[in-house]
Every structure is written in C-alpha cells, then in structure tokens.
Amino acid sequence: MYTPAAYLEERPRIIHQAMRAWSFATLVSTGADGPVATHLPMLVDERPDAPPRLVTHMARNNEQWRHFIGGETPALAIFQGPHAFISPSWYEDRMTFPTWNYAAIHGIGRPRLVEEPEEILAVLRRTVALWDTPLGGPWSFATMPDELILPRLERIVALDMPLDRVEAKFKLNQDKTAADRAGVIAALDAAGDDQARAMAAMLRAFETEGADAPGGATLSGR
C-alpha cells in the first residue's frame, strides 16, 4: 500500500484496536480463476512478538476457499476505516486542492484451511460470542439443536491466517496546520452523513490525544 511517511501508523496497539473496530474485512486472493474477493467478519488474535492472526469462515459454495488448499497461497485482508472527501474551502490556506481522508489496514498472510467440524464449531462459537452475545437477545447459540448445527458445519469452512506483515495508513491531514485540521473537523461534524462524522471523530481523537486514541469506539467513530 502506498503510504507517505506522514500517514504511516506503526504502533501495534493502535493497529490491532482499529482492526477489531473495522472487523468486517475484505479477503482478496488470486487463483487459476483470477483475483477473487470475499467480505468476511474477522476475529483478530494477537501474537507475542509477531503480527496478529485472523480467523474467519466462509460458505463452502464460495470457490475462493479452494485457493487455500495446501496453505501456500498468499492473501490480502483489507480493513477499511472512516473516509471522507476534504474540501480546500475548510482550510485557512486554500492554495491547494481537494483530497480524501481515510484509514485502511492491510494484512498479508497465507490462510490455512480449517475443515474439521469441531474446529469450525469453535470459530462459530467465538464469532457469536463476540458479536451476538453482547446484544442480549433471546436467541442463544447454545440452545440450537445438533440437527441444525451439524448440517451447517458441512456447508462452511474456516480459515486461520497468521499475518506475515501488516501495513496501516491513517491519512488524517497530518501534513496540514492545526488550524486547517480544526477547519476540517468542524466541517465534517456539520455534515449530514455518518462517514463524515466518523472521520471527524477520528481526527479529533488523534488531534486531542496525541494521535493515541485509546478505544475502538473512538477509532470507529461510534
């Protein structure tokens, strides 16, 4: 990913926090059928002294999983954060051009195919625990009967993807003055769409907290 030095983010804590906040990622790989992309919820597991690993699952009818037989095919996981068009009208110094602010993280690794039913079930349990259980609704995965769960396990595969490297780009007007960034934040706050307000929240967090936003909710703009 092309990343000028001003926009490079290298702190593991901030990167991992953002990956969890933007966890519905795009998995890209190339096989004999050409490049393929699938949009998947990613579990992010940190590893000591190494980039994290990603765990996810996909439908067996999705032919992309065949790219990963043997565990040698590289893949790219793209995590997309807030983004917004930036107008020079919002700067004090308007002798410049429009741009686009955004935050993105690329994880590169070689996914391992997981086909054992018990391992797939463990991935599903983790996924439900992370996203559904906190909602507190009346549905519970634990109460689902085996006659419904077991056929589903046959229709999906899981992927375990240790990352070889992670690239993070947070383009947040770092090359502008504090006054120009303040103008951008004010304009985005006043906008009517969620993406603009999410970018304003991210800009404000990095502006007021020394580019060290402490929580995923801050990074995600929620």
Side-chain angles (χ1 to χ4, degrees):
M1 176 165 53
Y2 168 66
T3 307
Y7 308 142
L8 181 65
E9 177 56 66
E10 296 183 289
R11 293 165 295 172
R13 185 178 70 85
I14 297 297
I15 293 171
H16 299 167
Q17 168 189 304
M19 292 169 74
R20 290 191 176 93
W22 312 328
S23 55
F24 193 70
T26 303
L27 184 67
V28 183
S29 61
T30 302
D33 48 351
V36 179
T38 301
H39 308 279
L40 299 166
M42 295 285 183
L43 300 165
V44 181
D45 292 342
E46 293 189 42
R47 298 186 292 168
D49 303 318
R53 70 192 311 128
L54 306 178
V55 178
T56 188
H57 65 283
M58 66 170 59
R60 188 172 286 273
N61 285 340
N62 182 344
E63 293 291 320
Q64 188 181 12
W65 71 266
R66 297 186 182 277
H67 293 180
F68 310 123
I69 295 174
E72 296 299 322
T73 301
L76 167 67
I78 302 172
F79 297 79
Q80 180 70 60
H83 63 88
F85 174 80
I86 306 299
S87 171
S89 297
W90 305 338
Y91 300 148
E92 282 192 347
D93 178 7
R94 299 189 178 98
M95 297 303 293
T96 187
F97 300 93
T99 191
W100 209 283
N101 276 9
Y102 64 93
I105 298 170
H106 290 182
I108 298 93
R110 298 175 187 272
R112 177 181 69 88
L113 193 61
V114 178
E115 296 187 86
E116 289 297 323
E118 284 301 317
E119 292 186 66
I120 296 173
L121 181 59
V123 171
L124 295 184
R125 284 174 172 153
R126 288 187 58 194
T127 302
V128 169
L130 181 60
W131 283 292
D132 188 81
T133 301
L135 299 178
W139 180 85
S140 169
F141 189 59
T143 63
M144 295 294 287
D146 286 347
E147 57 265 28
L148 290 180
I149 292 177
L150 296 180
R152 181 165 294 273
L153 298 180
E154 297 174 356
R155 297 197 293 269
I156 63 177
V157 298
L159 299 173
D160 181 3
M161 182 175 169
L163 297 181
D164 298 320
R165 71 180 191 274
V166 176
E167 303 169 353
K169 181 177 183 178
F170 291 1
K171 186 173 180 289
L172 305 173
N173 296 118
Q174 293 97 324
D175 53 348
K176 298 296 182 183
T177 66
D180 284 348
R181 289 195 296 272
V184 169
I185 291 171
L188 292 175
D189 267 334
D193 66 277
D194 290 341
Q195 280 287 351
R197 288 192 290 267
M199 174 50 68
M202 189 172 184
L203 278 162
R204 185 179 296 104
F206 275 71
E207 187 77 12
T208 61
E209 299 171 32
D212 195 16
T218 304
L219 282 173
S220 67
R222 294 191 294 273

